[in-house]
Amino acid sequence: MHKYLQLQNELETLIEGNTYQDGDKLPSIRELATQYQCSNSTVIQALNELEKRHLIYSVDRSGFYVVKKQRDSEPNNCNSIDFATSAPDPDVFPYLDFQHCINKAIETYRNDLFLYGTAKGLPTLIPVIAKHLANHQVFAKPANIFITSGVQQALSLLCTIPFPNGRETVLIEQPSYHLFIYYLQMHNIPVTGIMRTAQGIDLDELERIFRTEKIKFFYTMPRFHSPLGTSYTRKEKQRIAELAHRYNVYIVEDDHMADLEHDSKADPLFSYDRFERTIYMKSYSKIIFPGLRLGVAVIPDALCESFLQFKRLRDIDSSMLSQAALEIYLKSGMFERHRQKIRQSYQLRSKLLTEALLAHAARADALFAFRPLPYPGIHTHLVLDPRVDASRLIQLAKKRSILLEAADRHYLPAFPRENILKLNVSNAKAESVKKGIDELMAVLHAMRL
């Protein structure tokens, strides 16, 4: 990432925090250059970017001054602490950066963007994606990379196209991605489940299913599973890859949270596959904003032609304007700047959530089980005592302005389910996390009485 973007992030964090008040003067260009060990031109570039975002303003021959953002009020929900919403926090959306990229894309590709594109994706974007994926230890040839309209489109295509193993049944973890469950049910696609808990899955049971049932592919979220928040260990990923090869099963790896990873040793399941059994999928909506309906699928050679043909029939191409803007966003360094900023913000919230939950879980009379993670993501879960009615808990918490959600819709209808409460911090402000958990525990305590 460019030095000026790193400095921009540092100053933006200070401005949005409590270091500066509205109207405070920033240190001089020379002082900032000395403090951050960079050139004057780097400081000027960072300050110009902050001025474009209306975080500071310049006074001729005086310097730069802070402008505190005024948040829009939401009278119907301003006092709520939201642990239910899983979408990214609107306050960290890169509005101005991406607006610039869209304008630049129109200027750069004006002769191409308003015609039909290619089903595979914008040709100039694909090598940029290949380089970005390599940062996640996903080394893929451009020929195997497809741009899709989000992960959901890739999943629907994979359910439709024939696989070389000639099978039809989809295996999914339980709980799992609720919209994919709805899709499977709506289209009457044969599906079966395997239980996943905070401890992972039973690999012996996975082998039994692979061996005895005609599984087309196994859909899994090895990293930051939704809704559990857990991740597989290196040994678990290795074993899953081995079993897939042994029993002629494909793996569909949904790595939608890859950009929020803090563990440098955590590689995707794809990196353990030596036999091209893993289809890797990644979305940009969780890290940028939900309206950017762009995803990436890395398709093995044996499936490329079918995937391309079915995608061409499904939508001709994904949004060319969005693809061109994403290309500029990735190449410019803006994405990396935003990724670091959002990771830091979410990491703080996740840390506060874990600390608050551990403080209450230590009590002998706790009505839930909680397993802390070494590298927590933006969501986790509580396994509630069987005596706790999750629906009633959610209703009572809402009266205290705490928004919660159970995990029921993440299960197949006939599959046995745990009494799980989801907790997501992507829309819970750091200063509200502890208060929200304390209120939740007060509701649980009242239910005991």
Side-chain angles (χ1 to χ4, degrees):
M1 184 169 69
H2 298 302
K3 182 68 176 178
Y4 85 90
L5 290 173
Q6 293 178 341
L7 177 57
Q8 182 184 334
N9 265 6
E10 293 273 355
L11 294 175
E12 195 168 322
T13 300
L14 294 174
I15 291 168
E16 292 179 343
N18 297 318
T19 304
Y20 293 105
Q21 300 302 314
D22 194 26
D24 282 356
K25 183 180 179 181
L26 290 177
S28 69
I29 291 172
R30 183 176 298 176
E31 288 171 333
L32 288 171
T34 301
Q35 180 180 347
Y36 290 98
Q37 298 182 343
C38 60
S39 67
N40 287 354
S41 62
T42 296
V43 174
I44 292 170
Q45 194 169 3
L47 293 174
N48 286 339
E49 289 298 323
L50 292 173
E51 192 169 15
K52 289 178 186 177
R53 286 158 177 73
H54 307 292
L55 292 173
I56 61 175
Y57 65 94
S58 61
V59 176
D60 193 31
R61 297 185 181 182
S62 177
F64 290 87
Y65 295 81
V66 171
V67 181
K68 282 288 188 180
K69 285 184 176 179
Q70 301 298 318
R71 299 187 185 276
D72 294 333
S73 61
E74 298 179 13
N76 294 330
N77 205 29
C78 60
N79 296 319
S80 295
I81 301 175
D82 187 354
F83 291 124
T85 304
S86 59
D89 182 357
D91 285 345
V92 295
F93 287 0
Y95 296 108
L96 291 172
D97 281 352
F98 212 79
Q99 181 182 17
H100 166 78
C101 292
I102 289 173
N103 293 336
K104 187 68 175 176
I106 293 174
E107 178 185 327
T108 304
Y109 296 106
R110 66 178 67 187
N111 295 327
D112 303 313
L113 294 182
F114 304 104
L115 303 173
Y116 287 127
T118 66
K120 197 170 184 305
L122 183 67
T124 53
L125 171 62
I126 288 176
V128 177
I129 293 292
K131 184 177 180 181
H132 183 225
L133 291 178
N135 295 332
H136 297 293
Q137 300 301 303
V138 175
F139 299 100
K141 298 177 293 185
N144 298 102
I145 296 174
F146 291 78
I147 309 300
T148 61
S149 299
V151 164
Q152 286 164 272
Q153 186 193 48
L155 285 171
S156 68
L157 289 169
L158 292 170
C159 288
T160 304
I161 67 174
F163 273 38
N165 59 20
R167 301 170 184 174
E168 296 183 352
T169 301
V170 174
L171 175 65
I172 59 174
E173 298 159 329
Q174 290 291 273
S176 188
Y177 180 30
H178 65 286
L179 291 180
F180 187 42
I181 290 176
Y182 296 160
Y183 180 88
L184 293 168
Q185 293 176 296
M186 183 176 293
H187 292 83
N188 296 314
I189 295 170
V191 57
T192 189
I194 181 170
M195 177 67 76
R196 179 166 175 175
T197 67
Q199 289 72 38
I201 60 172
D202 184 336
L203 291 170
D204 291 334
E205 173 66 5
L206 182 68
E207 181 173 9
R208 185 196 68 78
I209 295 173
F210 280 5
R211 184 180 67 250
T212 61
E213 302 188 35
K214 296 180 179 180
I215 303 300
K216 179 180 183 179
F217 65 77
F218 172 39
Y219 171 71
T220 176
M221 286 177 272
R223 189 192 328 246
F224 301 137
H225 177 275
S226 178
L228 301 180
T230 57
S231 299
Y232 286 139
T233 65
R234 177 177 59 83
K235 289 184 177 180
E236 287 173 320
K237 286 180 277 193
Q238 285 178 326
R239 179 79 187 283
I240 292 171
E242 291 167 0
L243 291 174
H245 171 62
R246 184 184 307 170
Y247 294 104
N248 194 19
V249 173
Y250 282 84
I251 303 295
V252 175
E253 178 178 16
D254 187 344
D255 201 15
H256 65 293
M257 294 286 188
D259 291 301
L260 299 181
E261 181 62 79
H262 285 274
D263 182 3
S264 60
K265 297 181 180 178
D267 294 332
L269 195 153
F270 181 93
S271 67
Y272 297 97
D273 178 10
R274 295 177 291 119
F275 304 100
E276 289 201 355
R277 293 283 173 182
T278 303
I279 298 156
Y280 179 87
M281 301 187 309
K282 182 183 181 304
S283 169
Y284 287 95
S285 63
K286 291 294 184 185
I287 189 72
I288 303 178
F289 44 78
L292 183 69
R293 302 307 304 152
L294 289 181
V296 175
V298 179
I299 306 297
D301 288 338
L303 294 170
C304 277
E305 187 58 36
S306 293
F307 193 88
L308 179 61
Q309 289 178 0
F310 277 76
K311 186 177 185 304
R312 185 181 292 119
L313 293 172
R314 183 67 57 89
D315 69 349
I316 303 178
D317 61 50
S318 301
S319 168
M320 297 297 286
L321 179 57
S322 294
Q323 290 186 66
L326 179 61
E327 177 192 340
I328 293 168
Y329 191 58
L330 291 170
K331 288 169 66 176
S332 67
M334 292 182 185
F335 175 83
E336 184 58 27
R337 181 188 95 84
H338 171 66
R339 188 176 77 94
Q340 289 192 14
K341 180 181 177 182
I342 200 171
R343 281 174 63 204
Q344 290 172 357
S345 176
Y346 286 165
Q347 184 182 35
L348 172 61
R349 302 181 206 190
S350 300
K351 179 175 178 289
L352 292 170
L353 178 66
T354 298
E355 290 173 351
L357 289 172
L358 283 174
H360 291 280
R363 294 179 48 166
D365 61 347
L367 286 172
F368 66 92
F370 169 65
R371 183 180 183 182
L373 302 171
Y375 296 95
I378 60 172
H379 55 273
T380 187
H381 72 285
L382 306 181
V383 179
L384 300 173
D385 186 286
R387 295 169 292 176
V388 176
D389 183 333
S391 297
R392 183 165 176 263
L393 171 62
I394 291 169
Q395 291 173 357
L396 292 174
K398 189 174 182 180
K399 293 179 179 179
R400 296 189 180 217
S401 298
I402 309 299
L403 306 182
L404 303 168
E405 185 180 342
D408 288 358
R409 63 177 179 160
H410 293 265
Y411 286 91
L412 293 166
F415 201 91
R417 59 194 64 183
E418 289 189 292
N419 192 16
I420 288 178
L421 186 71
K422 296 167 50 182
L423 293 173
N424 193 300
V425 291
S426 61
N427 275 264
K429 303 305 178 188
E431 61 271 17
S432 302
V433 170
K434 183 179 184 302
K435 177 185 176 183
I437 295 303
D438 289 345
E439 289 286 342
L440 168 60
M441 296 305 153
V443 174
L444 270 173
H445 181 72
M447 292 179 71
R448 175 191 293 276
L449 300 178

